[in-house]
């Protein structure tokens, strides 16, 4: 299979690499060194003009944006069972949580990290930070995963992202959040990818 992940260690693309490991997918790794600003080089900007990772190329298809990458990959390998099928009642909730990540969570923690006042709730994509977080934590308390007992691709994205967010004190270390992070990050695929990324990061200096 002609599938390439454009990836940098210690970046958002780490979750995409873990997903590929969870899927048991064959893939090529195109590694970028963020310390050398390779994500801003013309060759990569031709892949993603935003200069962000992850991006994937599958044959002639080019996919950027973290939730889109996750939807595409999990659907590409249905045998792994990490994406509810189109006729599965859980498909809607699954898509909801993938979209919620990009439309609400990322903007909210970015505003918090930059110490920016959010726009008024009527204009703000996430309404307000407290409501965004309460919506997420209520779902995690119902767990153990976002779809209840069923582990899915959305859990990879959220579990790894919450790990970073708590590390940088952008999200509080609530018991339900920390337990969820541990459930996701302790899976064999996550550990394999984390070990491989540690070696990549060390090689990049």
């Amino acid at each position: 299979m002609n599938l390439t992940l454009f990836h940098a260690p210690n970046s958002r693309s780490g979750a995409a690499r873990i997903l590929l490991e969870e899927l048991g997918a064959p893939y090529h790794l195109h590694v970028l060194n963020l310390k050398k600003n390779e994500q801003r080089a013309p060759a990569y900007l031709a892949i993603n003009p935003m200069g962000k990772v992850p991006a994937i190329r599958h044959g002639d298809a080019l996919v950027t944006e973290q939730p889109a990458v996750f939807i595409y990959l999990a659907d590409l390998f249905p045998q792994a069972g990490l994406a509810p099928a189109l006729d599965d009642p859980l498909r809607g909730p699954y898509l909801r949580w993938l979209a919620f990540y990009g439309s609400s969570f990322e903007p909210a923690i970015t505003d918090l990290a930059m110490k920016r006042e959010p726009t008024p709730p009527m204009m703000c994509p996430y309404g307000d930070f407290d409501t965004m977080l309460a919506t997420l934590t209520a779902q995690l308390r119902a767990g153990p995963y976002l779809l209840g007992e069923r582990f899915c691709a959305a859990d990879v994205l959220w579990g790894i992202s919450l790990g970073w967010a708590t590390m940088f004190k952008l999200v509080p270390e609530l018991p339900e959040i920390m337990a969820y992070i541990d459930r996701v990050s302790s899976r064999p695929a996550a550990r394999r990818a984390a070990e491989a990324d540690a070696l990549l990061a060390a090689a990049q200096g």
Side-chain angles (χ1 to χ4, degrees):
M1 178 170 288
N2 187 16
L3 176 62
T4 299
L5 171 66
F6 295 88
H7 170 67
N10 297 326
S11 76
R12 284 178 177 82
S13 63
R17 186 176 193 182
I18 292 170
L19 177 61
L20 285 165
E21 293 293 326
E22 287 279 3
L23 293 168
Y27 65 97
H28 305 288
L29 200 62
H30 183 112
V31 180
L32 298 166
N33 189 329
L34 302 188
K35 293 178 181 178
K36 294 183 177 179
N37 223 28
E38 290 177 355
Q39 78 279 12
R40 305 302 306 176
Y44 187 66
L45 292 178
I47 301 294
N48 185 356
M50 303 298 105
K52 300 290 184 180
V53 290
I56 56 170
R57 179 185 279 147
H58 176 220
D60 293 330
L62 181 63
V63 186
T64 66
E65 311 314 313
Q66 188 90 294
V69 167
F70 272 64
I71 292 167
Y72 186 91
L73 289 176
D75 284 347
L76 188 61
F77 298 95
Q79 67 276 11
L82 294 187
L86 291 177
D87 59 352
D88 189 321
L90 289 175
R91 180 72 179 190
Y94 165 75
L95 293 176
R96 174 200 179 191
W97 288 109
L98 284 167
F100 189 82
Y101 173 84
S103 65
S104 296
F105 180 75
E106 281 261 0
I109 63 169
T110 299
D111 280 347
L112 183 65
M114 299 302 294
K115 298 181 172 58
R116 293 193 298 236
E117 285 295 322
T119 56
M122 286 290 289
M123 298 177 63
C124 184
Y126 57 89
D128 64 84
F129 188 92
D130 291 343
T131 302
M132 179 282 297
L133 188 63
T135 303
L136 172 63
T137 54
Q139 191 72 14
L140 296 183
R141 284 195 298 273
Y145 297 109
L146 290 170
L147 301 182
E149 295 294 329
R150 181 172 179 177
F151 177 79
C152 69
D155 291 301
V156 177
L157 176 58
W158 277 100
I160 301 307
S161 299
L162 285 170
W164 284 102
T166 51
M167 183 186 305
F168 288 107
K169 309 300 182 186
L170 299 173
V171 169
E173 295 181 355
L174 300 175
E176 59 268 41
I177 290 177
M178 301 311 292
Y180 178 71
I181 292 168
D182 184 64
R183 279 193 291 276
V184 175
S185 62
S186 63
R187 292 174 62 88
R191 289 182 172 178
R192 281 198 308 275
E195 290 169 2
D197 263 12
L199 294 175
L200 269 182
Q204 290 183 349

